């Protein structure tokens, strides 16, 4: 079950409207990484999760 929700913002806008069924989101739990596609330009955004602070930080945006 979710422990916390993170707003991924809209700059760039994530490529999915349903996070439960999307193939445009990938995770690497051991590396603490979340990757999403962009809705409009085909790029990707990489986020890093800090389990101690329970924060998600935008680390890289590829256009």
């Amino acid at each position: 079950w979710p422990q916390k929700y993170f707003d991924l913002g809209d700059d760039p806008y994530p490529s999915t409207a349903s996070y439960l069924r999307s193939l445009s989101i990938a995770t690497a739990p051991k590396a603490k990484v979340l990757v999403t596609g962009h809705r409009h330009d085909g790029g990707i955004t990489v986020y890093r999760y800090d389990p101690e602070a329970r924060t998600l930080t935008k680390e890289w945006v590829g256009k």
Side-chain angles (χ1 to χ4, degrees), residues 5-10:
Y5 290 93
F6 295 99
D7 181 4
L8 299 180
D10 59 3

Side-chain angles (χ1 to χ4, degrees), residues 2-63:
Q3 295 179 12
K4 186 171 183 176
Y5 290 93
F6 295 99
D7 181 4
L8 299 180
D10 59 3
D11 184 30
Y13 198 83
S15 62
T16 185
S18 174
Y19 297 109
L20 298 175
R21 299 181 306 230
S22 180
L23 297 176
S24 65
I25 294 177
T27 60
K30 287 184 181 180
K32 300 174 184 74
V33 171
L34 167 74
V35 179
T36 66
H38 299 170
R39 179 169 286 187
H40 302 292
D41 64 11
I44 64 169
T45 302
V46 178
Y47 300 89
R48 175 93 41 198
Y49 178 66
D50 180 342
E52 292 180 17
R54 296 181 72 182
T55 58
L56 192 66
T57 304
K58 190 183 301 182
E59 191 167 278
W60 185 77
V61 178
K63 300 272 178 179

